[in-house]
Amino acid sequence: MVDLLFIESTFAYLLTGLTITLEISLAGFVIGFFLSALMTPLRIFGDRFTSSIITSYVEALRGTPLLVQIFFVYFGLPYLGINFDAVTAGILTLGLNSAAYQAEILRGSINAIPIEQYYSAQSLGMRRFHVYRYIILPQAVRYAIPALMNELVTLIKESSLVSVIGVAELTRKGEYIVATTFRAFEVYLLVALVYFIICYSLVKVSKIIEGKIRIPGYMPRRL
Amino acid sequence: MINPVLRTVDLWVSYGKMNIIKGVNMHVNRGERLIIIGPSGSGKSTLLKSLILLIKPKQGKIYFNEIDITDKSVDINKIRQRIGFVFQNYNLFPHLTALRNITLPLEIVKKIPREQAERKALEVLDLVGLEMKAHAYPAELSGGQQQRVAIARALSMDPELLLLDEPTSALDPEFVDEVLDVLKRIATEGISMIVVTHELDFAIDIADRMLFIDNGTIIEEGKPSELISNPKNERTRSFLKRLHRRY
């Protein structure tokens, strides 16, 4: 028998965890975006030394599990005298991790712009800054948006990992209920459903944004 | 050489270790229309791009109005404003309308106010017969129309010299004439031009002088009608024979 009352009260409790989940993933995403927006031009157009440092950062973060990174920031850094509370550690780790992935997305999008676009802009006497500001970035962002939205969706799902350091986000709240009621089936199904509703909505929003910024005649609506 | 608007001295351009342009000395006089022909891979496009330093020469000098533009103290962006460039693949900015493709450089490079820039843009679009397509995006235009917009964009900057890199070779045959007609009209207005092309009839029509380039060096030069009908060099002869066979 489905216990509607139980589901209703569980759902209400889970929503308080959802707020934390959205907070840490959005904060992590924004931190990641600004860091990657800073790193990408330096990586592509900077000197070899700067570029290799940024590339090493990106590879290190992409090449290690997020869970290990969370443990490192929350349990490891205190050995160096750097302490964070669980939420801050969670946000920071997600931000640093996402920066690496977003940097890859931005790099790929900028590299997807053909060299002829640079030639064309330069041949008109446009300065480097103007070439990026008016010609390269507006096109690169269009390429990047689907992947960036995908990264946000991934981040929301991966934020469940910060439950291991005690952040009371969606998954953690689910664990609390299971611990007291032992009704793992309904609870985790509900937790999954909440994640799904959020992530699926974001995918839909992403499609709307893509449609809005589509270049007429250039990017097909459907293949 | 009388009153050259642009000239090169011992120009070398390379990709990595491979030399593409090998010690080219060439010039174009004010008001002169110079045609460059040569087989694919002979370095014509590279030469043209290197003239405004889109590709940096390895060695040699390029003088525009007797200013050495390879000198690092020269602001190349200022020079590029005065030399129009039309690419083989048009290279319009796909995210901007035809009108904006023209007004953007006018506004940010020439610092012309928007309204005035738009007037100028409509004027040059009218010149190439595309005023009614001002608000279309490049992908909504045919190849010929895109190339005409690209020509209009180059002209809007009021260049002293126009460089055209095979402006019709990426076009479907049905669109070639509309672009050539526009170019012929521009040619009669006395602007200096360097045109890389395989369109020999067009070349004879507009050119004052013709260069044949192969393997990164100038093989032969002369009046177009003479060079085409009576080439002196064996390589020019065999190239022209192949070209005639194709058309």
Side-chain angles (χ1 to χ4, degrees), chain B residues 170-217:
Chain B
L171 297 174
D172 287 336
E174 65 202 278
F175 299 127
V176 170
D177 284 343
E178 65 183 70
V179 171
L180 291 183
D181 286 346
V182 166
L183 292 177
K184 280 180 200 161
R185 217 172 330 128
I186 295 165
T188 59
E189 287 174 14
I191 186 169
S192 318
M193 291 165 100
I194 304 179
V195 190
V196 171
T197 186
H198 288 153
E199 300 285 342
L200 295 184
D201 291 338
F202 165 74
I204 293 172
D205 259 10
I206 72 146
D208 300 305
R209 195 154 51 88
M210 191 178 236
L211 297 181
F212 172 68
I213 287 187
D214 194 10
N215 201 17
T217 51

Side-chain angles (χ1 to χ4, degrees), chain A residues 2-223:
Chain A
V2 177
D3 182 349
L4 281 177
L5 202 65
F6 173 72
I7 288 179
E8 199 184 324
S9 61
T10 303
F11 195 70
Y13 183 68
L14 287 179
L15 288 186
T16 60
L18 176 65
T19 318
I20 308 282
T21 289
L22 291 180
E23 269 173 26
I24 55 174
S25 358
L26 285 177
F29 183 79
V30 171
I31 291 172
F33 182 76
F34 281 108
L35 279 179
S36 64
L38 201 71
M39 289 193 293
T40 305
L42 289 172
R43 189 179 180 196
I44 300 180
F45 312 115
D47 58 69
R48 192 173 287 192
F49 180 69
T50 317
S51 173
S52 64
I53 286 189
I54 294 171
T55 303
S56 308
Y57 170 85
V58 169
E59 294 311 331
L61 272 284
R62 291 198 318 149
T64 49
L66 178 59
L67 187 60
V68 175
Q69 293 165 14
I70 293 169
F71 284 150
F72 179 77
V73 170
Y74 190 61
F75 298 118
L77 288 184
Y79 284 92
L80 300 177
I82 305 167
N83 291 287
F84 297 110
D85 62 76
V87 171
T88 313
I91 290 174
L92 197 65
T93 317
L94 288 179
L96 293 173
N97 178 277
S98 185
Y101 284 95
Q102 293 191 50
E104 274 301 275
I105 293 169
L106 291 182
R107 186 183 66 88
S109 305
I110 289 177
N111 284 347
I113 311 291
I115 190 159
E116 284 76 15
Q117 288 289 301
Y118 292 82
Y119 282 159
S120 182
Q122 286 176 315
S123 77
L124 292 157
M126 288 169 76
R127 297 191 183 281
R128 197 182 234 211
F129 171 76
H130 288 138
V131 176
Y132 294 120
R133 162 73 183 77
Y134 293 103
I135 308 303
I136 304 305
L137 282 184
Q139 294 184 62
V141 164
R142 286 176 167 90
Y143 288 124
I145 277 182
L148 286 178
M149 290 302 276
N150 190 44
E151 167 62 13
L152 177 58
V153 168
T154 305
L155 210 57
I156 288 174
K157 289 183 291 180
E158 288 192 336
S159 71
S160 63
L161 286 175
V162 302
S163 65
V164 296
I165 54 169
V167 177
E169 44 68 73
L170 183 54
T171 306
R172 187 74 172 183
K173 292 267 165 128
E175 285 170 16
Y176 290 159
I177 304 171
V178 174
T180 51
T181 63
F182 301 104
R183 297 172 80 158
F185 181 80
E186 294 106 313
V187 174
Y188 285 129
L189 197 62
L190 266 181
V191 170
L193 185 68
V194 175
Y195 276 115
F196 176 75
I197 291 168
I198 298 298
C199 294
Y200 187 71
S201 310
L202 275 173
V203 169
K204 287 287 161 200
V205 170
S206 165
K207 290 273 176 250
I208 293 170
I209 297 175
E210 281 173 49
K212 289 248 185 272
I213 61 164
R214 198 177 63 92
I215 299 168
Y218 192 61
M219 296 169 171
R221 239 179 242 284
R222 284 176 201 285
L223 286 175

Side-chain angles (χ1 to χ4, degrees), chain B residues 120-139:
Chain B
K120 177 82 188 176
L122 290 172
E123 200 178 288
V124 284
L125 280 172
D126 185 43
L127 190 75
V128 298
L130 282 175
E131 205 182 349
M132 71 294 181
K133 293 283 185 187
H135 298 288
Y137 283 84

